[in-house]
CSV table of all heavy atoms in Angstrom, one decimal:
chain,number,residue,atom,x,y,z
A,95,ASN,N,-186.3,49.5,-50.2
A,95,ASN,CA,-185.3,50.3,-51.0
A,95,ASN,C,-184.0,49.5,-51.4
A,95,ASN,O,-183.0,50.1,-51.7
A,95,ASN,CB,-184.8,51.5,-50.1
A,95,ASN,CG,-184.0,51.0,-49.0
A,95,ASN,OD1,-184.3,50.0,-48.3
A,95,ASN,ND2,-182.9,51.6,-48.7
A,96,ASP,N,-184.1,48.2,-51.5
A,96,ASP,CA,-182.8,47.5,-51.8
A,96,ASP,C,-183.0,46.6,-53.0
A,96,ASP,O,-184.0,46.1,-53.3
A,96,ASP,CB,-182.4,46.6,-50.6
A,96,ASP,CG,-182.0,47.4,-49.5
A,96,ASP,OD1,-181.4,48.4,-49.6
A,96,ASP,OD2,-182.2,46.9,-48.4
A,97,VAL,N,-181.9,46.3,-53.6
A,97,VAL,CA,-181.8,45.2,-54.7
A,97,VAL,C,-180.8,44.1,-54.2
A,97,VAL,O,-179.8,44.4,-53.7
A,97,VAL,CB,-181.3,45.8,-56.1
A,97,VAL,CG1,-181.4,44.8,-57.1
A,97,VAL,CG2,-182.2,47.0,-56.4
A,98,TYR,N,-181.3,42.9,-54.3
A,98,TYR,CA,-180.6,41.7,-53.8
A,98,TYR,C,-180.2,40.8,-55.0
A,98,TYR,O,-180.9,40.7,-55.9
A,98,TYR,CB,-181.4,41.0,-52.8
A,98,TYR,CG,-181.2,41.5,-51.4
A,98,TYR,CD1,-181.6,42.8,-51.1
A,98,TYR,CD2,-180.8,40.6,-50.4
A,98,TYR,CE1,-181.3,43.2,-49.8
A,98,TYR,CE2,-180.6,41.1,-49.0
A,98,TYR,CZ,-180.9,42.4,-48.8
A,98,TYR,OH,-180.7,42.8,-47.5
A,99,HIS,N,-179.1,40.1,-54.8
A,99,HIS,CA,-178.7,38.9,-55.6
A,99,HIS,C,-178.3,37.8,-54.7
A,99,HIS,O,-177.5,38.0,-53.9
A,99,HIS,CB,-177.6,39.3,-56.6
A,99,HIS,CG,-177.0,38.1,-57.2
A,99,HIS,ND1,-177.6,37.6,-58.3
A,99,HIS,CD2,-176.0,37.3,-56.9
A,99,HIS,CE1,-176.9,36.5,-58.7
A,99,HIS,NE2,-176.0,36.2,-57.8
A,100,GLY,N,-179.0,36.7,-54.9
A,100,GLY,CA,-178.6,35.5,-54.1
A,100,GLY,C,-178.6,35.7,-52.6
A,100,GLY,O,-177.7,35.3,-51.9
A,101,GLY,N,-179.6,36.4,-52.2
A,101,GLY,CA,-179.8,36.7,-50.8
A,101,GLY,C,-178.9,37.7,-50.2
A,101,GLY,O,-178.8,38.0,-49.0
A,102,LYS,N,-178.0,38.4,-51.0
A,102,LYS,CA,-177.1,39.5,-50.5
A,102,LYS,C,-177.4,40.8,-51.2
A,102,LYS,O,-177.8,40.8,-52.5
A,102,LYS,CB,-175.7,39.1,-50.8
A,102,LYS,CG,-175.3,37.9,-50.0
A,102,LYS,CD,-173.8,37.5,-50.2
A,102,LYS,CE,-173.5,36.5,-49.2
A,102,LYS,NZ,-172.1,36.3,-49.1
A,103,LYS,N,-177.1,41.9,-50.6
A,103,LYS,CA,-177.5,43.2,-51.1
A,103,LYS,C,-176.4,43.6,-52.2
A,103,LYS,O,-175.2,43.5,-52.0
A,103,LYS,CB,-177.4,44.1,-50.0
A,103,LYS,CG,-177.9,45.5,-50.2
A,103,LYS,CD,-178.4,46.2,-48.9
A,103,LYS,CE,-178.4,47.6,-48.9
A,103,LYS,NZ,-179.2,48.1,-47.8
A,104,ILE,N,-177.0,44.0,-53.3
A,104,ILE,CA,-176.1,44.5,-54.4
A,104,ILE,C,-176.3,46.0,-54.7
A,104,ILE,O,-175.4,46.7,-55.2
A,104,ILE,CB,-176.2,43.6,-55.7
A,104,ILE,CG1,-175.2,43.9,-56.7
A,104,ILE,CG2,-177.6,43.8,-56.4
A,104,ILE,CD1,-175.0,42.7,-57.8
A,105,SER,N,-177.4,46.6,-54.2
A,105,SER,CA,-177.7,48.0,-54.4
A,105,SER,C,-178.6,48.5,-53.4
A,105,SER,O,-179.4,47.7,-52.9
A,105,SER,CB,-178.2,48.2,-55.8
A,105,SER,OG,-178.6,49.5,-56.1
A,106,GLY,N,-178.5,49.8,-53.1
A,106,GLY,CA,-179.4,50.4,-52.1
A,106,GLY,C,-179.8,51.8,-52.6
A,106,GLY,O,-179.0,52.5,-53.2
Side-chain angles (χ1 to χ4, degrees):
N95 70 318
D96 293 326
V97 183
Y98 271 59
H99 167 83
K102 293 182 174 195
K103 189 152 157 166
I104 193 161
S105 172

